[in-house]
Amino acid sequence: MAAGTGSGSTVSAIFSPVRLWLLLPSWIVIGFFLLVPVLLMLTYSFLTKEFRGGVIWEFSLASYDQFLFDRGLFGDEAPVVKWTYINIFIRSILQAIGATIFCLLIGFPTAYFIATRPIQSRTIWLFLITVPYWVNLLIRTVSMKFLIRDSGPLNELLLYIGLIDAPLHVINTNFAVQLGLFYSYLPFMVLPIYASVERYNFTFSEVASDLYASKVTILWEVILPVVKPGIIAGSILVFVPSLGAFLAPDLLGGAKTFMIGSLIEDQFKGNAGNWPFGAAASMILLSLVLVVLMFYVRAQNKDQT
Amino acid sequence: MDRTFDIKHYRGFFSITCLCLVILYGPLIIVMIYSFNDSVSITNWGGISLRWYVEIFTGLESAKFKAAAWNSFSIAIMAAIVSTVIATAAAIGMIRGGNFKGKFASFALISLPIMVPEIVTAVATLIFFSTIGFKLGTLSILVAHTVFCIPFAYLPISARLQGIDASYEEAAQDLFANRWKTFRYVLMPIMWPGIVAGFLLAFIISLDDFIITNFIKGAGIETLPTAIFGSVKQGIKPNIMALSTLLLLFSIALVTLSYFIGKRGEANQNTQQ
């Protein structure tokens, strides 16, 4: 995220007088086609729904009300807290946390291993980790579905070896979604951790070892605190897209694994067709993400001072 | 020396790294293998054949796939060109512009498309287009992709520009080159690897995008990912695996190309300094 902010010797008197003209196209394009739409979406979340999609331009808190409360079939009973949507959000957060932990468990050792290779082979390892990220996420998720389905190659292999007697039922479970999210965003965890382990000065480890610290102690007490910024960055890069993921829950999960992404999609493309409610759910998702990002920026600033 | 290595080394980390690569590549390799399966069933192995690859180009769905491929590639090329031009200008403005008020805000705005969850971008864009009465179709997809690609093009370009000393431009100025000539004949050739890398990344991002495209494509228009998604909804078919394999190999080829261009650029930069 810091790329492009700090500059010292790279300032030139030639382009700084026209910087406004150079920056203007990006401001206009992103401002008009993304910032304005997001603000419009905020407005939509306070409008009245029109059936079959679209809105009536009348102020209403109905969407947020629908999100939180149940007022009976005709909307005239006393409001009771409704857990349907809150649970979808909680489940999404838990799924995203689970995916982050899985990625961390595999990603940290991988990043550490790569960072301690000789410089020439590091780039090759890193390249191998990055390539899958650039492969279409849809294709990757479909591949995962193909692999883990009931009569898929994974089950056949396990049956063949004799490790299991009956096919494991993984698809359409929470675990399948978890696996899909983990698989989708694993490279995001490895790269930032790699970057911080690479800068880690191994003299610290040597000093600790001279003071009779065990290797596990060195890892926990010396290395981890130093590479913490990389771990936090990686966790956020996995957590944020997992939270709003649509493909993994939709293709690998079933009705019971509904996540925020599917809920939002259903309001616009699916049967629900309630635009203001979809806009409200999107706003809540966006706010969650902004809170996480703000936490990240604060943590980063604290580390720097 | 031996002791340093010992301290760095943790038992089991190599195995986990191998596991990581198996997880990342396993599903892709298996789909590639099964795309050569000469059987209508996706479960049983019926020998090696190219029938599903022939099927994509001549089969019942070939017209749909060709139209989708045309849409995908034409949109990706245009979105990548426009976003690369915008990102190059923005990178020069940000990095050569010195310190100015609102620099952080400007950076935040440029990174906004990466920070906002994709599904939120999709919703916001759909609402925006339908409110202003913009017809959903290839043009709306192109606009949305261009916006989304700008930060992806911006990152490698600005990273490259940061590594270039401003003295080249100053030298050009001393030789009475105007601003455009300084850019065209001095800065751009040195920035070139970053620009190409940015263009390729933007191209892949646009080609791969499913969520935003799915929201704003409008009726009857498909790109490759939306066509694949539509098919997969009814079950994974062998021809989809063949199509996926082609797309997958294409992406890998582009990333490899971008990697080597980046490497050559680095080597050039090192010899220049």
Side-chain angles (χ1 to χ4, degrees):
Chain A
M1 275 220 282
T5 41
S7 55
S9 66
T10 54
V11 184
S12 72
I14 304 145
F15 295 108
S16 46
V18 289
R19 68 177 168 233
L20 190 67
W21 297 107
L22 291 166
L23 288 167
L24 217 49
S26 58
W27 291 348
I28 291 172
V29 170
I30 297 175
F32 190 66
F33 290 107
L34 187 59
L35 199 59
V36 171
V38 168
L39 296 176
L40 194 63
M41 184 179 78
L42 176 65
T43 317
Y44 260 54
S45 71
F46 292 107
L47 295 178
T48 310
K49 78 167 169 182
E50 172 143 51
F51 292 97
R52 295 170 293 123
V55 284
I56 301 164
W57 285 82
E58 231 167 73
F59 178 81
S60 154
L61 283 170
S63 306
Y64 293 95
D65 188 75
Q66 184 189 346
F67 188 87
L68 293 171
F69 301 113
D70 188 359
R71 292 176 189 270
L73 195 58
F74 302 103
D76 49 3
E77 291 165 32
V80 182
V81 175
K82 180 169 59 182
W83 289 98
T84 325
Y85 300 122
I86 302 173
N87 277 341
I88 291 176
F89 268 70
I90 292 174
R91 185 191 302 134
S92 304
I93 293 171
L94 291 178
Q95 289 277 39
I97 291 175
T100 310
I101 292 172
F102 268 139
C103 286
L104 197 55
L105 288 179
I106 299 283
F108 178 82
T110 305
Y112 183 93
F113 177 80
I114 296 175
T116 51
R117 293 305 92 198
I119 289 180
Q120 295 90 333
S121 60
R122 267 183 225 169
T123 37
I124 297 166
W125 284 103
L126 274 184
F127 179 66
L128 285 175
I129 297 286
T130 342
V131 165
Y133 166 67
W134 295 111
V135 171
N136 197 317
L137 186 59
L138 172 66
I139 292 179
R140 294 175 65 208
T141 314
V142 171
S143 308
M144 190 48 107
K145 187 185 172 96
F146 180 76
L147 181 71
I148 63 171
R149 73 191 202 283
D150 288 352
S151 56
L154 191 65
N155 267 319
E156 274 183 20
L157 178 74
L158 293 175
L159 283 170
Y160 181 77
I161 306 174
L163 219 61
I164 51 172
D165 296 324
L168 290 174
H169 181 68
V170 179
I171 199 90
N172 295 350
T173 61
N174 276 319
F175 178 71
V177 177
Q178 190 90 104
L179 194 67
L181 293 174
F182 158 74
Y183 175 59
S184 304
Y185 305 118
L186 181 56
F188 286 172
M189 183 63 90
V190 177
L191 299 176
I193 298 182
Y194 162 81
S196 44
V197 177
E198 197 200 19
R199 282 194 303 261
Y200 171 73
N201 185 349
F202 277 94
T203 332
F204 290 136
S205 292
E206 276 179 56
V207 171
S209 164
D210 289 342
L211 298 167
Y212 302 104
S214 75
K215 283 179 79 173
V216 178
T217 316
I218 294 175
L219 186 64
W220 275 106
E221 307 276 333
V222 184
I223 300 177
L224 276 187
V226 177
V227 301
K228 205 179 80 189
I231 293 177
I232 294 175
S235 302
I236 284 176
L237 287 179
V238 173
F239 181 81
V240 166
S242 296
L243 199 60
F246 167 71
L247 284 172
D250 193 71
L251 290 171
L252 301 171
K256 284 184 189 162
T257 59
F258 222 58
M259 282 176 62
I260 305 176
S262 324
L263 177 70
I264 293 173
E265 208 250 9
D266 204 34
Q267 309 304 319
F268 293 93
K269 303 285 292 179
N271 301 321
N274 184 343
W275 283 32
F277 182 67
S282 305
M283 273 322 294
I284 298 170
L285 170 62
L286 184 60
S287 321
L288 271 175
V289 168
L290 289 181
V291 168
V292 173
L293 288 178
M294 259 150 61
F295 161 78
Y296 171 69
V297 170
R298 287 189 77 179
Q300 229 191 8
N301 287 343
K302 220 159 74 184
D303 273 322
Q304 277 167 2
T305 50
Chain B
M1 197 61 209
D2 229 46
R3 229 180 113 248
T4 330
F5 181 73
D6 190 42
I7 284 174
K8 283 184 179 180
H9 183 78
Y10 280 86
R11 211 189 304 150
F13 278 21
F14 173 64
S15 319
I16 295 176
T17 307
C18 293
L19 178 69
C20 181
L21 291 178
V22 169
I23 294 169
L24 286 176
Y25 286 91
L28 300 178
I29 291 171
I30 283 169
V31 162
M32 270 191 209
I33 294 171
Y34 272 84
S35 71
F36 294 104
N37 185 5
D38 184 31
S39 164
V40 187
S41 145
I42 53 166
T43 315
N44 302 320
W45 182 256
I48 294 174
S49 101
L50 286 173
R51 65 182 283 195
W52 300 115
Y53 289 89
V54 176
E55 161 103 14
I56 307 174
F57 292 101
T58 59
L60 276 175
E61 292 180 295
S62 61
K64 188 178 100 183
F65 291 149
K66 274 176 198 158
W70 168 250
N71 285 339
S72 270
F73 281 93
S74 53
I75 290 170
I77 287 177
M78 285 189 281
I81 291 174
V82 178
S83 59
T84 307
V85 171
I86 294 175
T88 306
I92 297 174
M94 283 292 283
I95 298 192
R96 291 295 197 255
N99 282 320
F100 57 92
K101 220 173 129 190
K103 190 169 183 175
F104 182 77
S106 171
F107 180 67
L109 188 63
I110 293 169
S111 334
L112 194 65
I114 296 189
M115 307 222 263
V116 175
E118 220 183 326
I119 193 132
V120 176
T121 307
V123 167
T125 313
L126 173 66
I127 287 177
F128 177 70
F129 282 145
S130 81
T131 307
I132 63 169
F134 198 94
K135 195 176 166 295
L136 295 182
T138 32
L139 194 60
S140 65
I141 303 176
L142 177 62
V143 170
H145 280 201
T146 305
V147 175
F148 189 60
C149 289
I150 290 173
F152 287 95
Y154 176 83
L155 289 176
I157 296 173
S158 65
R160 173 79 189 173
L161 186 57
Q162 259 178 332
I164 300 170
D165 209 284
S167 53
Y168 294 108
E169 292 138 77
E170 279 154 20
Q173 283 277 282
D174 292 343
L175 297 168
F176 303 106
N178 63 20
R179 200 170 279 137
W180 169 250
K181 280 184 173 163
T182 308
F183 170 72
R184 175 67 190 81
Y185 298 106
V186 179
L187 197 54
M188 199 169 86
I190 316 178
M191 277 175 80
W192 196 240
I195 295 175
V196 174
F199 172 82
L200 288 176
L201 293 192
F203 183 78
I204 297 179
I205 289 290
S206 164
L207 196 66
D208 283 359
D209 178 73
F210 167 74
I211 294 177
I212 296 173
T213 314
N214 185 41
F215 263 70
I216 57 160
K217 69 187 170 62
I221 290 167
E222 301 281 353
T223 63
L224 282 174
T226 62
I228 291 175
F229 184 79
S231 273
V232 168
K233 271 297 188 181
Q234 288 133 33
I236 304 174
K237 279 173 283 180
N239 60 345
I240 290 301
M241 288 199 270
L243 184 61
S244 300
T245 304
L246 289 181
L247 208 53
L248 195 155
L249 291 176
F250 183 76
S251 296
I252 293 179
L254 275 195
V255 178
T256 314
L257 183 68
S258 150
Y259 172 77
F260 281 110
I261 290 172
K263 265 202 111 150
R264 233 193 54 193
E266 255 169 50
N268 282 346
Q269 203 167 19
N270 289 341
T271 50
Q272 276 163 2
Q273 282 169 357

